[in-house]
Structure formats: C-alpha cells, structure tokens
Amino acid sequence: MLDTTQSSGTPMLSVSHVVQSFRKSENNRILVLDDVSLAIKEGEIVGLLGRSGSGKSSLLRIISGLTPPFAGDVTWYGEKVSGPSEGIAMVFQTFALFPWLTVRQNVEIGLEALGIAAAERRRRAEEAIDLIGLGGFESAYPKELSGGMRQRVGFARALVVHPRLMLMDEPFSALDVLTAETLRTDIIDLWTDGALPIKSILIVTHNIEEAVLMCDRVLIFSSNPGRVAFEMPIALPHPRDRQAPEFRDLVEEIYARMTNREGPGAPLHGAAAPHADITLTTYLPPISTNVLAGLMEELADPPYSGKADLPALAESLHMPADSLFPIAEALHMLRFADVAGGDITLTEAGRRFVAAEVEPRKALFAEHLLAHIPLAAHIRRVLDERPSHRAPWSRFADELEDHMSEDFARDCLRAVTNWGRYGETFIYDEQVRQFSLETED
Amino acid sequence: MLFQPAAVGNGPAPVRSRFFTPFDLFAFAVVFGLLALFTQSTQEALVPISDLDRTPITLDPSALPEYALRTTARMLAAIIASLIFTFLYGAIAAKSRRAEMVLIPILDILQSVPVLGFLSFTVVFFMGLFPGQVLGVEFAAVFAIFTSQAWNMTFSFYQSLKTLPRDLEEVSSSFRLTGWQRFWRLEVPFSMPGLVWNTMMSMSGGWFFVVASEAITVGSTTITLPGIGAYVATAIDQKDLVAVGWSVVAMLVVILIYDQLLFRPLVAWAEKFRFETSVGGPPPRSWVLDLIKRAHLFQFVIAPFGRALRGAARMPLALPVAVPRPVGVAWSSRAMDRIWSVLIAAAALYSVWLIVRFVATEVGLSEVFHVLWLGFLTLLRVAVLIFIASLIWVPIGVWIGLRPKVATAVQPLAQFLAAFPANIIFPFAVVAIVYFGLDPNIWLSPLMVLGTQWYILFNVIAGASAFPTDMREAAASFHIRGWHWWTKVILPGVFPYYVTGALTASGGSWNASIVAEVASWGDTTLRAEGLGAYIADATTAGDYPRITLGIAVMSLYVIAFNRTLWRPMFNFAARRLRLD
C-alpha cells in the first residue's frame, strides 16, 4: 500500500478561477460558484464545508469531470480536466449502487470499464471488500443491506480502482448517527494506518464536527454565490477526541464563522447582525411554522431562558447541528431571534410569541411576516391592488426565477405560502395554484 | 405494478447433491419437445404459397395443437422483433434531442392508429418482398402483431431512459463506463420492470390481432395462414359452432401456457431490477423460474448463454472514433436547430400533401364528411360502452378488491379474460343476433368491449386492493357509508387505476370496431353503420384511398378522444388523487 505521510507537498489537483452558473434566459445567468481557486496536495484530507446552496457539490462535480465549469480551469497532474479522469473516484451521498448487481458486481463495475481481466478483477474486488469490512456479503444485493453496509460498498467500489484522489460527496449524511460514526472512524483508521490505496481525500460536508474530525484542512464556503470564504487548518493528531477542549474550540469557531452575517471570512464580533440585508429575492428556508414555534418554546424555557449556544442546543435536541441553521435563520429573518457568533437569542417579540395564545400568536406572526419578509409583503400588495384579489402562483415564481434557480424559487414560495397561511395573511389554493385574499361569502 | 400472480408454493431448498433431480426429467422433456415442434413450424414457413391451397385448413380438432403452435411462434417472433425495435428506437429517441423531436410524436400517432388498418398495407408490401412465398404472408402477420406491441414497449423504454436516476448516471460516467457497458449495465436493467410489464400487456392485446391477421382478404387476395385464427375463420365459413368451441379451448390452453412458461418467470425475474428499495407486498413468484434455478439440466443448458451474455455486456466497447470538437459544436448549435425544425416542417407538409392527393384520387369532399359522421357513430359506441362497462365493473371490482381472498382468486382470471382474443367468440353473438332478428346497429356494438372491459375490472381490483387499510378504518369509524363512502372515499382511491384501465379499454375498443362492426356467419353478413365497418369494407375491396381515409380519420378521433378526455383525467389523478 501507499505511503500516506501527511502533506508530502506535491500538488495533484488545482482549481483556478472556476465560475459556475446556469442560464435562466437569453441574457440572465444565475451564479452558483464565483471565482473559486484551490489546490489539493498529496497526502491530505481536505474538507469543503458550507451550507446548502453554497455550490460545494457543484464544485465536486466539476473536479470529478462530470460537469464542465462555465469559466476557469481544473488541472489534474498538470493536465486540463475535460471529462472524468482516471485516478479520481467518487463516493456518493445516495450510495448510488446498482440494485440489480450484487455487492461484488457493484465493486467490479469500475474495473470492467478499465477492461481488466476477470481473474484480476475478482482478486482486486475481493481485496477491497475485505479491506472495507464487507467480507461474507459478496453475493448479497444492495436491498438486503443496511445503509451503513451499502455505503461500505460505495467505498469499496471507489477504492478498488486504486484512485489517487477519492472524492466524497456528503458520504455519511444519509446514515443514522451511530452508523455514520462507525463508518467514519473505520475510514479514518484505515487512512492513518496507510491501508487505503489512495493519496488524498476531498470531502464535501455540511457537518461541522465531521469536518473537524476528519480533515487536515477545511475550506469554508459562503453561500449565494459559493466562494471559498475562509481556510482553516486542523492540526490535531488522529485519533481526535470530540470532547477535547481544542476540538470544541475549533467547532465553536467554525460555527461562529458560518453564522457570521458578514460572511465566514469577515472578522468575528459578538454583536447581533443588522437585518437590513433581506430583499425580495433573499432565499427563504421552507421551515414549517410548527418547527419555528417549537424552537422558540425550547429557547424560552430553562436551561436556555432565551439564549443558547447553537452546537449545545443541537445536541440537546438530538438534531444534526447543521439542520438547526435554516430554522435559526428563519427566526432571525422574522426577527423573533438574533443569531450571531454561534449563539441564538430570543428577541422581545419572540418572548411575546411564546407567551401568547393561538390567535394573538397568529396576529403577531402576520405582523412580523409583512414587516420583515419583503416577498410576503409583495404578494399581499399585489393581491390588494388587483380588483379580483387573486394572483397565480406562477406570477411570483417567474419573478423570483429571474434571480434564482427554479428549486430555490419554489422553496421561497413554499416558505412564504406556509407562513402566510399560518398568519392568515393570504390564502393559497393548490388546485388552481393561485394566491387570494380571504373573501367574505 | 398491477400484476398479482397466484401464490405458488415455495418448495424445498435447492437440491444440489443429487445428480439427476425429478425436475431435470421434466426440463429435458420440455426443452426438446419445444425444440422439435419449433423446428417443424419454421420449416413450413419456407414453402411456396401454393402449398397453402393444397393443404387447406381442416376443422379436425386434432390439427389444433399444430395450429396453436404456429400461432404461438408468430407471437414469439413478433415479441423479439418488438424488443429489437424498442432498444433501437427508444435509445435513439432518448439520446438525441433532434431525433426525439421527430420520433416521439410519430410514436404517439402510431399508438393511435388502428392496428388492423396497417394490415392491408403490410400484406401487400411483404408479399411483394417475397413473391409467391408463404414467408411474405407470415411476415405480414407477424408485422401486424408487432404493430400492436412495439409502440407501448418503446414508450416504456424511452420513459425509463429519460428518468434514469441521476446518481447512477454519475457513477457510470465517473467510472467511465463505455456507451455499450452503460446500456447493458444501467439503462436496460433500469427499464426492465416497466418493459416486462408493458410486453405482457401488449401480448394480451396481441392475441386479438394474431387471430385477425391469420385470415384476411385484401382485394382479390385471400390469405389463410395455418393457425387458430384461420381455424376460426374456416369454422365461421362452414357454420361449425363446435369447431369454434374447440378453438376457444385451444386458445385458453395456449394463453395459459404462455403465461406460465413465459410471463410469470419474466415478471418474477424482473423483480430484481426494481429500483425502489422498500418492499411492497410479497414478491411475485414463478414455479418455472424456481425450476430453472433448481434443475441441473436447465443450469447446464442456460448457464453458458448467461455467462456469454454477461461477458458481452461487460466488454468495454466504444465508438472507435470520437467526433472532432468543432463538428460537435457546429452540430449542436442553435442555427442547426432551426434548420432541423424547418426540415421537419417541410417533410410534414409534403406528407400531408401526398396523403391528400392520394385520397383525392377516389374520394370527394362529401365522402370525407360522411366518414367523419361514421367516425362519430363509432365514437358514440365506444363512449357509451365504456360508460356502461364502468358502471358494471367498477362496483364489482371494488367489491372484489376489498376482499383479498376473492381478489387473489379473481385477479388472474380477469387478466386472463383481457388477454383472450374476443374475436373468437364473435360467432356465438352473431348466431344469436341472427336467430333473434336483432338490430345489428345496436347489438353488434357490445362486441367492441367484449374483450376490453376486463382491463377496467382488473385495474379497479388492483386499485381497491391497494387502498390503505387505515383510510378504510377511518371511514368506518366516522360512520361514512353509502353514497358518501363511494364519492368521498373509495372512488377517489381507485380513480388513478380506473383511468389506466379505461384508457386501455377504449384504445382496444377502437381497434375492435374494425372487426366488430362487420361480422359474418356462413353467407350471412351483419353490418353496423360506423367507421370500423367502413374500414373493413374498404379492406375487403382493396380500396387503398378509402382505407387511408378511414384510418386517418379513426386515428384523429382516437387522438382527440385521448387528448380531451383521458389525458386530463390522467393528469388530475396523478396530481390530486395519489395516495403516497
């Protein structure tokens, strides 16, 4: 097997000034990645950390040669990448196993493409299967395996082609907490033992602890459009202890950076961020009002009594830390809470909301919705102005899609529809896909 | 999927130690018996056409096994042809955007063209290709069956290719599978369950057409190919009801064998290609598949083929030359798109002009209007009959579907009845109409839904069986009963299934109108006024302009009917009434 002494220093892959965008119309493009440059050396694990919408998965697909960038270059050992390269293998978030092939056949598929003879194929597959702890499952079909075992097949399939760089696209995020932890530890152990036939790993994740646990270097992405906003070396020796103070400090710092309103790269300060940056086309996370109310209630109660540290709150709620972000962000936008420096604080309005009964809660919510979410105010204004008090869903979707992708526009409208229904600000009829005001009949 | 095979015993675990199992004995007999019979029936296709006259169809029941085999061989040939067509046409349509612009609308129209309409053209074409040989006529019959199967198989394949899971596509490209490997490792396996299901559905329609195509008169040419269809036609000529009865029995046996030996195993086997990972109900089983997996002999015979096929699928074959980049860029430019659109439009206009000119040689404008009126009459029949059939079968289907035990017993029967070629039973109805002196305009009509109503029944049964128990319990606990229960609970629940069944039934009924609106018994011929009769008469007279006109009008009606009624209902069901 290969020697994997840390950072021997030869750059294997470099990404320079990559821009990715997709076309909305003739002269309107939506920017996904903006001027991203990075290099990967032999012998390191690099993490790409960012929230959804930061384009990190797009970047991974550009690096792997699956999609071409709009501008900029990717070079692999000095050669420009123009399609999937030999020596790069990928592990997928969804496992992406062929359900009609057995474990062994799934593992062998990459070798078939290389035209390797059957006997050799079998020997190497057996080796990878044993290495990754799948021995005995060779003739099972993926649907007979648990999620963790399926992802092991995904790893074996990537390792068997002896890639020099292994790309991982959120490989543990579809697994439950325990399974993910076991698999993660196994991979790190194999890596530190030098048992993996690879030189470097590039892992995309939105899980902060995972990044700190595995990586030698973490690149934090900002969202909309995606940029490398901050680079953070992680110099802790393996195996890393999650409870160690230096580990916690790093997690805290990354939290703070990722909730920093001025972007992960800006200097950190404790003050609450200004709210002025929400516009008509700001992305609204589609979070149900039940969840918003639930988090506010949790925050108001002891032990938090109005203020909580995000990583600690996540742990006590048994939620993956990163899934708290969109909820906290929605509360922040609605000014029921302030989020800054990795902390979340209930505002005065938030406290009043928690204390109120059903109807006053709705009234307060409606008030904040119209005052602070420009899209909701916009829909309401359009409905007020029209004599029929009706407007089709597509009218607003089209407007949003000039500035964002279809999926994002749908998310925004889903969020604002749910919130508007709760606040009884307007009505939405799914069958005819139309917004309207309550009519008195 | 709707298919619910009867439970087949699980049987003991594979016996590996003994050299020769009892299964082997059976397997041996089956393999070599079929081989011998098949060789014989193919040899007979290579004789000159005059031989057909020298050996006329005999009504002796002992000849039926051989006729049945000939019919079956035609079906098999058509299925293979359809499969090859599907792989080529579907793949091209899915992979080339420009080809897709042309191929998919064509396929959509072809689906709506009455299959029997093709027959008159193809008989002449294939007989011209192989003058004086039975082979030409055989090809024409096979082609007729092909046209009843290929289109929806191709659609199914195309749709699967367009909905390939993105992550598997990415795996295939990131591990750099060649196009050949990708096709056999990803695309074909992914489309397999849909393809098998559609093949099975097509097949059950196919029996109808094989019976119709074995005895056909086009102008001065009358062809009777040895087969069950020709046997029935001869029985009708000679007014022999007993012989018709024998053919019914033969057909029953053939369909049963086909189902057991071919489709059950295929469906059970295709199960492993199902993409969803969740388990819904017990997987379909097949005793034949178990047999194949268990008997040493089958393994011995089949395994080498399997190995060779798998090996072929693994070969990293790729196009030897890559398209140079500038050519690729120019080819996919927008200017080329516009040129392509103009070319398509020009070709379409030219074709319309050709058709109009051809039809106008014989037919005036007033006849065109008359044909439109006839089409309306047939439309009326189809609509009324589907409505009546729905009134009858929806409540019965619901009743059956909500009782799992009854459903497992009835469901295979309903599917079987849907596959049974109703045209074999037509003589009984004709005899009755003649005997009682009934009005053919009304009483010939039910023949159109005779074979197709079962699609409604078995789809509704499937829908009612799949109806969630908790919703039934909720309805019961809130005392929802009677009319309310039907309109608010069960009808919305089975509606998506009903639409699928009714759509298939109405398509089949249009086709059946060509043989149902004109029916004969000996020298008595009954005729109902309608487009089906018009096409049938034009076919018998060999009047091509009128055949063309009739088929074109019928296709238009089918398309209009589908677009204005079925498709909106389908979309509504898919959007609003899905239970998942």
Side-chain angles (χ1 to χ4, degrees):
Chain A
M1 290 294 152
L2 290 154
D3 174 31
T4 55
T5 43
Q6 306 286 294
S7 298
S8 52
T10 333
M12 50 198 324
L13 180 111
S14 69
V15 173
S16 55
H17 307 292
V18 158
V19 174
Q20 184 66 317
S21 68
F22 56 92
R23 190 149 94 191
K24 283 308 308 174
S25 59
E26 203 71 44
N27 38 23
N28 183 11
R29 304 191 71 99
I30 310 258
L31 206 55
V32 180
L33 288 171
D34 184 19
D35 193 22
V36 173
S37 297
L38 57 90
I40 295 172
K41 298 187 287 279
E42 288 188 354
E44 62 173 353
I45 305 183
V46 178
L48 302 183
L49 185 63
R51 300 160 63 169
S52 52
S54 59
K56 52 197 190 317
S57 282
S58 300
L59 180 60
L60 200 70
R61 276 162 180 73
I62 290 170
I63 289 175
S64 71
L66 285 171
T67 48
F70 178 63
D73 278 329
V74 178
T75 51
W76 171 241
Y77 284 102
E79 301 250 337
K80 200 177 151 179
V81 168
S82 61
S85 319
E86 195 172 346
I88 298 183
M90 184 135 149
V91 177
F92 292 79
Q93 181 181 12
T94 53
F95 320 141
L97 303 178
F98 295 90
W100 42 83
L101 300 182
T102 61
V103 168
R104 180 184 286 121
Q105 290 168 334
N106 262 298
V107 171
E108 282 185 19
I109 195 129
L111 299 174
E112 283 171 20
L114 296 173
I116 289 171
E120 171 72 0
R121 230 169 34 215
R122 188 160 181 127
R123 191 189 61 71
R124 277 172 66 173
E126 200 59 44
E127 195 179 279
I129 286 171
D130 286 341
L131 179 70
I132 212 77
L134 275 169
F137 289 89
E138 290 88 345
S139 56
Y141 284 95
K143 69 182 81 170
E144 302 169 51
L145 303 178
S146 67
M149 293 311 262
R150 286 184 205 174
Q151 191 57 300
R152 280 176 199 266
V153 181
F155 276 109
R157 179 176 63 184
L159 289 173
V160 79
V161 296
H162 295 185
R164 279 177 282 187
L165 174 64
M166 185 152 82
L167 306 176
M168 303 186 191
D169 183 14
E170 309 203 2
F172 310 108
S173 66
L175 305 174
D176 63 81
V177 180
L178 281 179
T179 310
E181 189 58 28
T182 319
L183 192 49
R184 226 179 261 136
T185 320
D186 283 1
I187 297 294
I188 299 172
D189 287 349
L190 288 171
W191 168 260
T192 48
D193 292 350
L196 298 180
I198 52 179
K199 293 197 168 166
S200 293
I201 296 177
L202 179 63
I203 177 170
V204 159
T205 178
H206 58 213
N207 185 325
I208 295 167
E209 296 211 5
E210 179 174 294
V212 177
L213 191 72
M214 297 185 72
C215 300
D216 300 311
R217 196 147 64 89
V218 174
L219 306 175
I220 303 175
F221 270 61
S222 63
S223 311
N224 293 330
R227 290 192 186 94
V228 180
F230 195 78
E231 179 175 338
M232 191 181 262
I234 314 254
L236 308 176
H238 287 289
R240 293 173 181 168
D241 174 11
R242 281 171 186 269
Q243 303 311 326
E246 51 272 40
F247 189 98
R248 299 311 319 169
D249 287 348
L250 280 166
V251 171
E252 278 293 329
E253 188 186 342
I254 296 178
Y255 254 103
R257 292 204 172 273
M258 289 182 73
T259 51
N260 193 351
R261 287 269 134 194
E262 286 143 57
L268 293 174
H269 47 73
H275 292 273
D277 54 346
I278 304 175
T279 66
L280 188 62
T281 55
T282 302
Y283 176 75
L284 305 176
I287 304 292
S288 151
T289 48
N290 284 322
V291 175
L292 295 179
L295 191 68
M296 280 193 266
E297 283 162 12
E298 182 72 24
L299 264 178
D301 287 344
Y304 307 114
S305 309
K307 180 170 176 164
D309 179 43
L310 276 172
L313 183 63
E315 198 160 321
S316 81
L317 291 173
H318 302 288
M319 289 172 96
D322 44 289
S323 63
L324 260 185
F325 279 147
I327 311 173
E329 188 176 10
L331 287 177
H332 183 85
M333 286 175 164
L334 286 158
R335 301 206 195 172
F336 286 122
D338 283 324
V339 179
D343 289 338
I344 180 166
T345 317
L346 218 53
T347 59
E348 169 53 30
R351 287 176 193 279
R352 265 194 289 136
F353 182 93
V354 172
E357 300 287 321
V358 175
E359 284 306 320
R361 269 192 179 189
K362 280 173 171 263
L364 182 62
F365 191 87
E367 189 191 305
H368 275 243
L369 182 63
L370 287 175
H372 305 305
I373 306 292
L375 180 59
H378 176 59
I379 293 177
R380 176 70 195 219
R381 195 165 49 247
V382 169
L383 293 175
D384 279 335
E385 279 165 8
R386 292 193 175 189
S388 64
H389 300 311
R390 287 169 206 285
W393 183 87
S394 55
R395 183 211 174 285
F396 301 106
D398 289 347
E399 200 173 349
L400 291 180
E401 279 172 27
D402 286 343
H403 305 277
M404 57 178 81
S405 74
E406 239 172 84
D407 288 346
F408 276 31
R410 206 175 302 125
D411 275 0
C412 286
L413 281 170
R414 198 141 52 94
V416 88
T417 304
N418 182 278
W419 298 348
R421 278 171 162 171
Y422 176 75
E424 300 181 31
T425 314
F426 42 75
I427 290 172
Y428 177 64
D429 184 347
E430 160 68 27
Q431 208 161 344
V432 288
R433 292 161 83 77
Q434 154 178 285
F435 290 100
S436 62
L437 291 183
E438 189 144 29
T439 44
E440 291 172 21
D441 50 48
Chain B
M1 227 172 268
L2 312 175
F3 188 72
Q4 290 203 329
V8 177
N10 205 339
V15 186
R16 292 246 175 251
S17 50
R18 265 192 295 169
F19 175 68
F20 203 78
T21 67
F23 295 116
D24 285 324
L25 197 64
F26 178 83
F28 191 85
V30 170
V31 168
F32 287 93
L34 284 179
L35 215 60
L37 280 172
F38 201 77
T39 322
Q40 192 195 349
S41 63
T42 44
Q43 267 176 355
E44 282 170 26
L46 296 173
V47 298
I49 206 160
S50 50
D51 272 27
L52 280 184
D53 302 330
R54 251 180 282 136
T55 49
I57 300 293
T58 157
L59 291 184
D60 183 359
S62 68
L64 264 174
E66 197 206 318
Y67 289 154
L69 194 78
R70 302 280 298 255
T71 302
T72 312
R74 275 173 211 127
M75 286 294 273
L76 212 58
I79 278 280
I80 292 167
S82 304
L83 206 60
I84 294 168
F85 175 84
T86 295
F87 281 159
L88 292 175
Y89 197 101
I92 292 170
K95 283 170 193 224
S96 156
R97 192 168 47 86
R98 294 222 178 86
E100 188 178 11
M101 281 160 66
V102 184
L103 294 182
I104 293 308
I106 288 182
L107 203 58
D108 203 22
I109 301 295
L110 280 174
Q111 252 188 336
S112 318
V113 175
V115 174
L116 293 173
F118 285 118
L119 203 53
S120 40
F121 294 98
T122 50
V123 166
V124 175
F125 172 76
F126 281 108
M127 283 175 70
L129 218 55
F130 302 94
Q133 274 193 316
V134 179
L135 198 61
V137 194
E138 289 281 4
F139 265 121
V142 168
F143 191 79
I145 311 162
F146 167 85
T147 52
S148 74
Q149 298 171 333
W151 318 143
N152 76 348
M153 286 168 65
T154 306
F155 250 120
S156 153
F157 186 59
Y158 163 79
Q159 243 133 29
S160 299
L161 290 191
K162 292 301 260 188
T163 54
L164 284 175
R166 196 176 139 198
D167 54 352
L168 291 189
E169 277 195 282
E170 286 186 344
V171 171
S172 309
S173 14
S174 103
F175 285 102
R176 305 197 298 164
L177 298 193
T178 64
W180 172 260
Q181 288 174 323
R182 205 180 126 97
F183 187 73
W184 292 109
R185 291 309 232 183
L186 171 61
E187 290 162 358
V188 172
F190 179 72
S191 55
M192 199 50 90
L195 199 55
V196 167
W197 172 251
N198 275 288
T199 308
M200 197 167 72
M201 282 289 106
S202 311
M203 194 77 173
S204 71
W207 294 112
F208 186 92
F209 300 109
V210 75
V211 168
S213 64
E214 279 173 1
I216 183 163
T217 305
V218 180
S220 55
T221 333
T222 298
I223 291 131
T224 44
L225 284 172
I228 295 187
Y231 184 89
V232 176
T234 313
I236 291 172
D237 261 357
Q238 302 182 6
K239 292 192 174 191
D240 188 342
L241 262 192
V242 179
V244 176
W246 277 115
S247 65
V248 170
V249 173
M251 203 68 231
L252 287 173
V253 172
V254 166
I255 294 178
L256 206 69
I257 291 176
Y258 229 87
D259 182 54
Q260 290 294 319
L261 288 191
L262 188 63
F263 279 111
R264 286 299 157 88
L266 266 182
V267 169
W269 172 77
E271 192 61 17
K272 85 170 189 184
F273 299 107
R274 282 295 196 89
F275 195 66
E276 58 261 45
T277 35
S278 63
V279 187
R285 298 193 61 91
S286 154
W287 60 271
V288 175
L289 188 66
D290 291 344
L291 183 70
I292 290 173
K293 286 180 176 163
R294 208 167 292 164
H296 294 178
L297 184 83
F298 270 128
Q299 288 297 339
F300 185 72
V301 173
I302 291 172
F305 288 104
R307 260 202 302 280
L309 283 178
R310 272 198 294 276
R314 278 182 178 138
M315 287 209 283
L317 298 178
L319 286 179
V321 280
V323 180
R325 223 180 149 76
V327 177
V329 170
W331 176 246
S332 55
S333 71
R334 299 201 142 206
M336 271 304 283
D337 266 357
R338 294 212 184 93
I339 296 173
W340 183 245
S341 308
V342 170
L343 279 177
I344 295 171
L349 282 176
Y350 180 66
S351 315
V352 169
W353 181 73
L354 276 183
I355 294 168
V356 169
R357 199 185 59 166
F358 180 57
V359 171
T361 52
E362 280 276 330
V363 181
L365 200 59
S366 64
E367 184 158 351
V368 173
F369 284 116
H370 178 62
V371 172
L372 283 172
W373 164 247
L374 291 177
F376 177 73
L377 287 180
T378 303
L379 170 72
L380 210 61
R381 284 200 183 94
V382 172
V384 167
L385 287 165
I386 294 290
F387 182 73
I388 294 174
S390 304
L391 279 188
I392 297 172
W393 294 118
V394 170
I396 295 178
V398 166
W399 188 89
I400 295 171
L402 292 181
R403 287 158 185 78
K405 277 198 182 135
V406 186
T408 32
V410 175
Q411 189 67 314
L413 182 71
Q415 287 180 351
F416 179 76
L417 286 172
F420 192 83
N423 33 358
I424 287 190
I425 328 178
F426 284 1
F428 295 110
V430 176
V431 170
I433 294 172
V434 172
Y435 183 80
F436 292 108
L438 300 167
D439 179 1
N441 266 322
I442 295 169
W443 293 99
L444 275 181
S445 312
L447 297 183
M448 289 164 53
V449 288
L450 199 60
T452 54
Q453 54 187 324
W454 312 112
Y455 288 106
I456 299 179
L457 177 63
F458 81 74
N459 276 294
V460 172
I461 294 179
S465 311
F467 194 73
T469 321
D470 54 351
M471 284 175 68
R472 282 176 68 191
E473 287 169 350
S477 86
F478 291 113
H479 306 288
I480 302 172
R481 284 200 211 96
W483 179 246
H484 249 85
W485 183 79
W486 282 98
T487 54
K488 301 271 166 172
V489 182
I490 195 71
L491 289 185
V494 298
F495 189 76
Y497 293 82
Y498 164 74
V499 173
T500 309
L503 179 67
T504 319
S506 100
S509 301
W510 279 103
N511 258 313
S513 73
I514 298 180
V515 285
E517 284 180 352
V518 179
S520 53
W521 181 245
D523 14 321
T524 329
T525 301
L526 299 178
R527 177 172 283 103
E529 209 187 357
L531 188 52
Y534 180 87
I535 295 174
D537 288 344
T539 304
T540 318
D543 184 345
Y544 290 98
R546 285 198 170 80
I547 300 177
T548 312
L549 176 66
I551 292 169
V553 169
M554 189 175 276
S555 307
L556 279 180
Y557 268 105
V558 173
I559 293 166
F561 199 43
N562 285 350
R563 299 277 154 93
T564 52
L565 183 69
W566 298 121
R567 199 172 283 182
M569 277 166 86
F570 215 83
N571 292 341
F572 173 76
R575 238 195 35 240
R576 295 268 306 143
L577 300 177
R578 268 207 338 224
L579 285 171
D580 44 21

